[in-house]
Amino acid sequence: MTAPRIPLSKRLLDLCLTCFALILLSPLLLLIALLVRIGLGSPILFKQQRPGYLGRPFFIYKFRTMTDERDAQGHLLPDAERLTRLGRFLRSTSLDELPELFNVLRGEMSLVGPRPLLMQYLERYSPEQARRHEVLPGVTGWAQINGRNALSWEDKFRLDVWYVDHWSFWLDIKILFLTLVKVLRREGISQPGHATAEEFMGSESNGEH
């Protein structure tokens, strides 16, 4: 398997900022891990396979924000019912995503790029939407600073593909700066009526062809 072709300036930016952030935020990471352990138990981290560069699977890591509560039939309850108060806070501040910095160090993600979604979405993308996988997935991205989960799926994917076509070092710097602003304002955390975002079922189901 060939490694993704990452511009040197982008990789250096990822490594420098990620190493600095991990050193600076290490006390916060330990505190969150302790709070999650007390509030939700083990495991502390949520681990899930996601599609990366060219759709290749990798495991993404986040702090857990939900319980494992199930109904009488053994099915997991809806996200909104399993999301704890601590989980809501971690999501609203994006602190749950800090462990993704280790994915960046491993070269599986970049600080900036289209967000890695679910594996089952791969077969639901149109050929144009699938172009979002022509670059490494990111901790934040162009769609995240332009609406995040408040956007429709189609709008998110259009913004993702725009980023693929217009990437530059300075665009990444701009996105990182604006991400800090969005996080502080806690904007676009969820889609209306959903704890996070509704499932993407494919563009045809939403009236687009």
Side-chain angles (χ1 to χ4, degrees):
M1 181 182 295
T2 59
R5 289 172 293 180
I6 310 168
L8 180 60
S9 60
K10 184 176 181 66
R11 185 58 180 155
L12 288 176
L13 179 68
D14 283 345
L15 289 175
C16 291
L17 292 185
T18 299
C19 289
F20 175 76
L22 286 173
I23 294 171
L24 182 67
L25 299 174
S26 56
L28 179 60
L29 288 165
L30 291 173
L31 175 60
I32 295 173
L34 178 62
L35 291 175
V36 172
R37 180 66 178 85
I38 294 172
L40 292 171
S42 281
I44 293 171
L45 296 179
F46 168 77
K47 172 184 174 183
Q48 188 178 57
Q49 197 173 63
R50 299 284 179 93
Y53 176 69
L54 299 182
R56 297 168 184 164
F58 74 100
F59 284 99
I60 194 173
Y61 295 93
K62 299 184 180 186
F63 283 119
R64 274 184 70 198
T65 57
M66 296 184 185
T67 68
D68 291 324
E69 292 180 87
R70 299 174 182 267
D71 60 22
Q73 288 72 44
H75 302 125
L76 285 172
L77 295 176
D79 289 356
E81 296 181 37
R82 296 188 294 120
L83 192 60
T84 65
R85 181 179 298 179
L86 173 62
R88 288 190 185 91
F89 172 76
L90 293 178
R91 289 194 175 200
S92 69
T93 55
S94 297
L95 292 174
D96 63 312
E97 297 180 3
L98 288 178
E100 292 172 28
L101 293 174
F102 293 102
N103 290 117
V104 176
L105 283 183
R106 289 161 57 96
E108 298 161 333
M109 294 179 65
S110 175
L111 288 175
V112 180
R115 287 292 298 162
L117 301 174
L118 300 178
M119 292 298 297
Q120 60 262 35
Y121 290 2
L122 287 176
E123 60 187 24
R124 303 174 188 174
Y125 294 135
S126 69
E128 180 69 7
Q129 290 169 345
R131 293 189 57 230
R132 67 193 305 276
H133 292 291
E134 292 177 7
V135 297
L136 282 175
V139 177
T140 185
W142 188 239
Q144 280 59 54
I145 64 166
N146 284 285
R148 198 177 175 184
N149 284 330
L151 294 170
S152 69
W153 282 116
E154 282 70 28
D155 286 340
K156 286 182 191 178
F157 298 149
R158 276 193 287 269
L159 290 168
D160 288 341
V161 173
W162 185 93
Y163 173 80
V164 171
D165 291 335
H166 295 84
W167 173 84
S168 72
F169 178 83
W170 294 110
L171 178 60
D172 276 6
I173 295 293
K174 176 182 178 179
I175 290 171
L176 289 169
F177 173 76
L178 292 176
T179 295
L180 292 176
V181 175
K182 291 286 184 180
V183 168
L184 292 174
R185 293 178 178 175
R186 303 190 188 184
E187 294 177 350
I189 298 162
S190 61
Q191 287 182 337
H194 297 271
T196 52
E198 64 179 338
E199 184 176 356
F200 174 63
M201 301 306 295
S203 294
E204 290 187 358
S205 65
N206 292 314
E208 290 197 0
H209 301 275

